[in-house]
Amino acid sequence: MNFETFVGEDLDQQLDGWLNKVNNIDSKAIGIISPHAGYSYSGPPAAHGFKNLDKSKIKRVFILGPSHHYYLKSCQISEMKYYQTPLGKLTLDQEVISELHQTGEFGYMSKEVDEKEHSIEMQLPYIKKMMEGQEFTIVPILVGSTSFQKEEMYGQMLAPYLSDESNFFVISSDFCHWGKRFDYYHCEKKDDEEIYQSIEKLDRRGMEAIETGNPSTFGAYLKETENTICGRHPIGIFMQMVKASKGNFKTQFVHYAQSNRCRTTKDSSVSYAVGVCSRG
């Protein structure tokens, strides 16, 4: 994997610093929605999600990340045996990956696509850090521009894994990408509001839609606002998983941040919303 230029010890200390600032932990967490920008931006917010990963219970971590550089309308899995990070190797779960491939709905990523995709890559050091000292495997899943119907299908296929308490799910997504860099200027601000405040209101509407647990509600929100949530399809699949499972799960957002406070249309920003899904 082509990770940011970090020395392992330095990155380990940085993660420690961010994690130590997070106090609220949900012992029943089974998954998180986590940002994937450069760590100078997304590192501190991501700690609010990863602090909830209880390594004493977990043996396998699924990572659902959106495809940024390669267009597809389905999901793909990795043929790699392990991923390398500055904190060490993470072993891929060959048994589960084979099970998914045998369904005929999960193709394999090329090595080039695998290496270039940062939405999965940026989750790895935190996973390695939180699982320190434990044996575990990972299941990376690259998610394309899936339709609502395909998200429902994938959700039903992955739901049995959600019922296994030794599994944990990391759903990789940033939220609103606003400004000239992203060609997105949706704004609902009142006269006395700054643009960044309008962006937060827009994002929080999306967070509330996800918290309902109803995939159709989130889909309607996206159709109305076209909010540039890059992990909307992984989130959609995860919501379908929760819907299809027999467990009592609830997602709540615990942290929100923006890379920049936009005040004019010349500004740009990316939002980071961290959600925690827990077993009832």
Side-chain angles (χ1 to χ4, degrees), residues 193-210:
E193 286 181 334
E194 297 281 6
I195 291 174
Y196 72 86
Q197 294 172 314
S198 170
I199 295 171
E200 180 170 351
K201 285 200 307 184
L202 172 69
D203 280 329
R204 290 199 179 278
R205 283 181 59 202
M207 293 153 68
E208 289 169 2
I210 294 168

Side-chain angles (χ1 to χ4, degrees), residues 11 31 41 60-61 68 74 89 94 100 106 115 119 121 129 132 159 165 196 205 218 241 246 251 259 267:
L11 179 56
Y41 293 106
R60 184 185 299 110
V61 181
H68 287 82
S74 58
K89 294 179 180 179
Q94 301 302 316
L100 296 178
F106 294 83
E115 289 180 340
S119 71
E121 179 182 29
K129 175 67 177 176
E132 190 173 16
E165 294 189 16
Y196 72 86
R205 283 181 59 202
F218 183 51
M241 289 168 57
K246 297 180 181 179
T251 298
S259 65
D267 296 329

Side-chain angles (χ1 to χ4, degrees), residues 1-270:
M1 302 296 283
N2 296 319
F3 196 72
E4 294 182 338
T5 305
F6 275 112
V7 177
E9 185 177 348
D10 292 342
L11 179 56
D12 188 65
Q13 292 175 357
Q14 188 118 57
L15 296 180
D16 267 332
W18 293 327
L19 289 164
N20 288 338
K21 293 179 181 178
V22 179
N23 297 317
N24 296 328
I25 303 172
D26 189 336
S27 62
K28 296 182 179 180
I30 56 88
I32 59 174
I33 296 172
S34 178
H36 56 237
Y39 268 17
S40 59
Y41 293 106
S42 71
H48 289 264
F50 278 104
K51 191 67 177 280
N52 296 278
L53 196 164
D54 184 350
K55 67 181 181 182
S56 68
K57 301 177 181 178
I58 305 304
K59 295 181 180 178
R60 184 185 299 110
V61 181
F62 288 75
I63 312 158
L64 278 68
S67 179
H68 287 82
H69 309 290
Y70 174 65
Y71 182 76
L72 70 160
K73 294 184 178 180
S74 58
C75 290
Q76 293 189 349
I77 45 183
S78 178
E79 288 191 281
M80 300 298 104
K81 303 298 182 185
Y82 64 85
Y83 285 162
Q84 182 69 55
T85 78
L87 301 186
K89 294 179 180 179
L90 289 83
T91 302
L92 276 68
D93 195 309
Q94 301 302 316
E95 181 179 348
V96 171
I97 288 172
S98 178
E99 288 174 359
L100 296 178
H101 183 63
Q102 288 173 15
T103 67
E105 299 295 343
F106 294 83
Y108 284 118
M109 288 180 259
S110 69
K111 184 179 180 182
E112 180 182 11
V113 168
D114 208 343
E115 289 180 340
K116 283 185 176 180
E117 185 48 64
H118 68 279
S119 71
I120 293 172
E121 179 182 29
M122 298 306 294
Q123 310 300 338
L124 303 179
Y126 259 120
I127 294 171
K128 182 69 172 176
K129 175 67 177 176
M130 293 305 300
M131 293 298 295
E132 190 173 16
Q134 298 289 323
E135 289 189 8
F136 71 100
T137 56
I138 61 171
V139 182
I141 300 176
L142 184 68
V143 180
S145 297
T146 45
S147 65
F148 186 88
Q149 291 72 25
K150 279 219 165 186
E151 287 169 13
E152 185 175 30
M153 176 196 73
Y154 282 119
Q156 291 172 352
M157 296 176 90
L158 292 169
Y161 298 103
L162 190 64
S163 302
D164 184 342
E165 294 189 16
S166 67
N167 291 332
F168 193 85
F169 292 81
V170 177
I171 312 304
S172 184
S173 182
D174 296 331
F175 268 61
C176 184
H177 298 61
W178 196 93
K180 186 176 182 180
R181 284 176 56 202
F182 311 106
D183 194 29
Y184 184 75
Y185 296 97
H186 185 92
C187 193
E188 302 173 347
K189 81 181 190 72
K190 298 178 181 178
D191 291 339
D192 59 343
E193 286 181 334
E194 297 281 6
I195 291 174
Y196 72 86
Q197 294 172 314
S198 170
I199 295 171
E200 180 170 351
K201 285 200 307 184
L202 172 69
D203 280 329
R204 290 199 179 278
R205 283 181 59 202
M207 293 153 68
E208 289 169 2
I210 294 168
E211 288 177 339
T212 67
N214 187 336
S216 295
T217 301
F218 183 51
Y221 161 82
L222 291 172
K223 185 175 182 180
E224 175 200 342
T225 65
E226 297 184 340
N227 193 359
T228 48
I229 300 173
C230 57
R232 56 194 176 276
H233 298 298
I235 292 172
I237 290 173
F238 186 68
M239 292 182 73
Q240 294 286 2
M241 289 168 57
V242 170
K243 181 180 177 182
S245 71
K246 297 180 181 179
N248 179 26
F249 302 106
K250 184 173 180 60
T251 298
Q252 289 188 311
F253 281 85
V254 297
H255 188 77
Y256 178 81
Q258 295 174 356
S259 65
N260 182 42
R261 289 192 164 189
C262 293
R263 290 183 167 86
T264 76
T265 54
K266 294 181 181 179
D267 296 329
S268 294
S269 74
V270 178

